[in-house]
């Protein structure tokens, strides 16, 4: 079995050719990849479709700086069942991005610039690569390439990349995730993690306007929404108690609202994509100094730009979010006849007996189609100093500033 590879040279019209001989055996493919942590090492296990030939090797290529530089290590430890392990030195709090590939007739790792040319088969999470992180603490960055501090690459190129990693990581200290550029999110984001008593803060890095747009055209299978807190994937189970999340729209040292989180049908978003959704028993969440824009073409749900959902899907009495604060935000929810700016209701087949407690909504400017603030199953809470505008353009709807 032979594999022929060809590539055009970047500096000329010439081409490089290579013929790899795998002997009497067809090259193996890679069927799965997993990782784990052991002490100061990241262990990556690569499972093959069968026994590899003596000419084949398995490699893991990885980066800790979004491919500004990278390294390749061999998966040389035989774990049995056609699984081979690579060991990567790991420092707590580091984000590692990686994928695996095979080669034929190589005795050492290819140069990083030649890795693609020598690759026979690979697994890279459909082009997204795999990410690993443990004991997160400190500062991380989310944005377009080259927009990090000093022109560096941020740790994540999208909010979805960041929350997917956070959901699998251990939180070992307070973390701040800085947005370094505008983001167009083609996939909705689910944040569900045990924060271990620490605070996760999301805010702009630069003191200039920063916009996060949700543009996914189809609804989620679980809770609708763009940024859903309390679920770790697009599934109603498990509910993940996710506490002490702060979304702050000011940049460090700044005082203006710089962060806008928006979902507009005119930009491709599904009509049910409420920008921020909180599901279940998620306590001590703060949303402040943020512009939140929700503009569907139409809607039939009782839904809001900030949508808080007590859940009876797991606990029939109701998993309730408590100690929630929304302050100094400008909230716009127009385009659908049943829209609210801030909406607190429930999800599940039965109404909850528990109520959300200590909800504070103050000093916001709210413009809504139907209700500025909609409250259902709420306990001791405060709502004051809000400037509310309701602009209902359709007949037959009960509209109000605050509906309890």
């Amino acid at each position: 079995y032979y594999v022929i590879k060809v590539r055009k040279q970047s500096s000329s019209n010439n081409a490089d050719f290579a013929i790899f001989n795998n002997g009497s055996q067809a090259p193996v493919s890679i069927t799965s990849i997993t990782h784990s942590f052991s002490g100061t090492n990241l262990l990556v296990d690569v499972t093959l479709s069968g026994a590899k030939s003596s000419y084949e090797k398995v490699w893991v290529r990885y980066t800790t700086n979004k491919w500004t530089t990278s390294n390749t290590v061999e998966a040389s430890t035989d774990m049995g069942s056609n699984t081979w392990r690579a060991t990567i030195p790991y420092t707590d709090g580091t984000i590692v991005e990686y994928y695996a590939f095979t080669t034929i007739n190589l005795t050492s790792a290819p140069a990083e610039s030649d890795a693609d040319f020598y690759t026979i088969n690979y697994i890279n999470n459909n082009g997204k690569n795999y990410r690993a992180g443990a004991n997160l603490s400190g500062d991380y960055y989310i944005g377009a390439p080259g927009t990090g501090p000093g022109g560096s690459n941020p740790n994540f190129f999208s909010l979805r990349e960041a929350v997917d990693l956070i959901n699998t990581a251990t939180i070992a200290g307070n973390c701040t995730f800085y947005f370094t550029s505008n983001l167009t999110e083609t996939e909705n984001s689910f944040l569900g993690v045990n924060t271990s008593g620490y605070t996760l803060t999301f805010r702009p890095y630069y003191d200039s306007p920063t916009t996060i747009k949700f543009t996914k055209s189809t609804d989620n299978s679980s809770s609708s929404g763009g940024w859903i807190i309390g679920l770790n994937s697009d599934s109603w189970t498990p509910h993940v108690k996710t506490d002490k999340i702060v979304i702050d729209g000011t940049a460090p040292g700044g005082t203006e609202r710089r962060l806008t989180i928006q979902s507009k049908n005119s930009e491709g978003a599904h009509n049910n994509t409420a920008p921020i959704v909180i599901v279940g028993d998620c306590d001590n969440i703060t949303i402040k100094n943020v512009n939140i824009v929700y503009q569907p073409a139409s809607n039939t749900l009782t839904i809001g730009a900030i949508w808080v959902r007590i859940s009876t899907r797991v606990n029939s009495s109701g998993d309730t979010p408590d100690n929630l604060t929304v302050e100094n935000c400008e909230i716009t929810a127009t385009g659908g006849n049943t829209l609210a700016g801030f909406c607190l209701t429930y999800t599940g087949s039965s109404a909850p007996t528990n109520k959300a407690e200590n909800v504070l909504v103050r000093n916001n400017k709210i413009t809504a189609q139907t209700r500025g603030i909609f409250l259902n199953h709420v306990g001791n809470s405060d709502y004051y100093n809000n400037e509310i505008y309701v602009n209902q353009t359709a007949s037959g709807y009960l509209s109000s500033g605050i509906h309890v």
Side-chain angles (χ1 to χ4, degrees):
Y1 288 84
Y2 296 91
V3 177
I4 301 174
K5 299 290 293 278
V6 182
R7 70 175 173 188
K8 181 183 176 299
Q9 294 179 356
S10 59
S11 58
S12 70
N13 289 323
N14 296 327
D16 295 324
F17 288 85
I19 300 176
F20 302 103
N21 180 4
N22 200 47
S24 60
Q25 179 178 326
V28 294
S29 59
I30 301 175
T31 58
S32 66
I33 189 168
T34 60
H35 70 257
S36 59
F37 293 92
S38 177
T40 58
N41 293 315
L42 168 63
L43 308 177
V44 180
D45 291 344
V46 184
T47 300
L48 307 177
S49 59
K52 63 185 180 68
S53 75
S54 60
Y55 304 103
E56 293 176 282
K57 288 186 178 294
V58 183
W59 310 90
V60 174
R61 187 179 178 212
Y62 70 96
T63 180
T64 58
N65 54 20
K66 270 293 189 179
W67 306 104
T68 301
T69 59
S70 61
N71 294 285
T72 300
V73 295
E74 185 180 358
S76 57
T77 302
D78 186 354
M79 305 302 294
S81 301
N82 302 313
T83 297
W84 296 83
R85 172 172 289 180
T87 300
I88 299 172
Y90 183 76
T91 301
D92 280 350
T94 303
I95 308 301
V96 179
E97 190 168 330
Y98 68 89
Y99 70 93
F101 65 100
T102 63
T103 62
I104 297 173
N105 304 137
L106 288 187
T107 57
S108 59
E112 296 307 301
S113 60
D114 290 331
D116 290 346
F117 181 60
Y118 286 101
T119 294
I120 305 301
N121 285 304
Y122 63 92
I123 187 169
N124 67 356
N125 195 22
N126 295 316
K128 301 174 185 178
N129 297 319
Y130 300 91
R131 293 173 192 87
N135 298 322
L136 301 188
S137 179
D139 296 340
Y140 301 89
Y141 302 91
I142 308 170
T147 62
S152 63
N153 283 337
N155 303 100
F156 310 97
F157 289 161
S158 69
L159 175 62
R160 178 60 183 262
E161 278 190 13
V163 298
D164 282 352
L165 186 282
I166 294 169
N167 291 343
T168 64
T170 302
I171 309 301
N174 295 330
C175 299
T176 301
F177 295 85
Y178 289 104
F179 298 112
T180 60
S181 72
N182 296 329
L183 294 171
T184 297
E185 297 286 321
T186 59
E187 297 180 90
N188 296 327
S189 294
F190 298 84
L191 175 60
V193 65
N194 178 2
T195 59
S196 302
Y198 297 106
T199 300
L200 305 187
T201 300
F202 296 81
R203 67 187 309 185
Y205 183 69
Y206 300 106
D207 196 12
S208 57
T210 303
T211 301
I212 300 173
K213 300 179 182 180
F214 293 103
T215 63
K216 184 173 180 278
S217 61
T218 55
D219 202 357
N220 302 326
S221 299
S222 60
S223 176
S224 301
W227 188 350
I228 301 96
I229 299 170
L231 301 177
N232 62 12
S233 67
D234 191 6
S235 173
W236 280 113
T237 55
H239 286 8
V240 181
K241 182 173 173 56
T242 305
D243 299 336
K244 302 186 74 172
I245 304 298
V246 176
I247 304 174
D248 183 355
T250 62
T255 58
E256 296 184 55
R257 295 188 198 102
R258 293 301 196 181
L259 179 62
T260 298
I261 302 175
Q262 70 185 40
S263 167
K264 297 182 178 182
N265 180 264
S266 62
E267 295 173 341
H270 189 274
N271 285 331
N272 293 343
T273 305
I276 299 176
V277 180
I278 301 168
V279 176
D281 186 15
C282 300
D283 299 335
N284 299 299
I285 292 179
T286 298
I287 303 169
K288 61 182 181 180
N289 311 315
V290 183
N291 301 309
I292 303 170
V293 180
Y294 180 29
Q295 293 181 333
S298 63
N299 79 295
T300 57
L301 297 176
T302 301
I303 193 171
I306 299 176
W307 193 13
V308 184
R309 311 186 73 181
I310 299 170
S311 176
T312 60
R313 291 175 178 270
V314 175
N315 172 13
S316 61
S317 298
D319 291 320
T320 63
D322 302 313
N323 306 315
L324 167 66
T325 297
V326 178
E327 63 178 333
N328 196 36
C329 295
E330 182 162 349
I331 304 169
T332 302
T334 57
N337 294 329
T338 59
L339 290 183
F342 175 87
C343 181
L344 194 158
T345 182
Y346 73 92
T347 177
S349 59
S350 60
T353 56
N354 295 332
K355 297 179 180 181
E357 301 286 349
N358 300 319
V359 178
L360 174 62
V361 180
R362 65 182 178 186
N363 302 327
N364 303 286
K365 179 180 179 181
I366 302 174
T367 301
Q369 188 96 0
T370 304
R371 303 176 182 98
I373 298 175
F374 179 90
L375 303 174
N376 192 353
H377 300 282
V378 66
N380 295 322
S381 298
D382 293 297
Y383 307 84
Y384 60 88
N385 286 352
N386 298 292
E387 185 179 340
I388 299 175
Y389 301 85
V390 174
N391 183 21
Q392 179 58 269
T393 58
S395 61
Y397 291 90
L398 176 63
S399 301
S400 55
I402 300 178
H403 179 102
V404 181

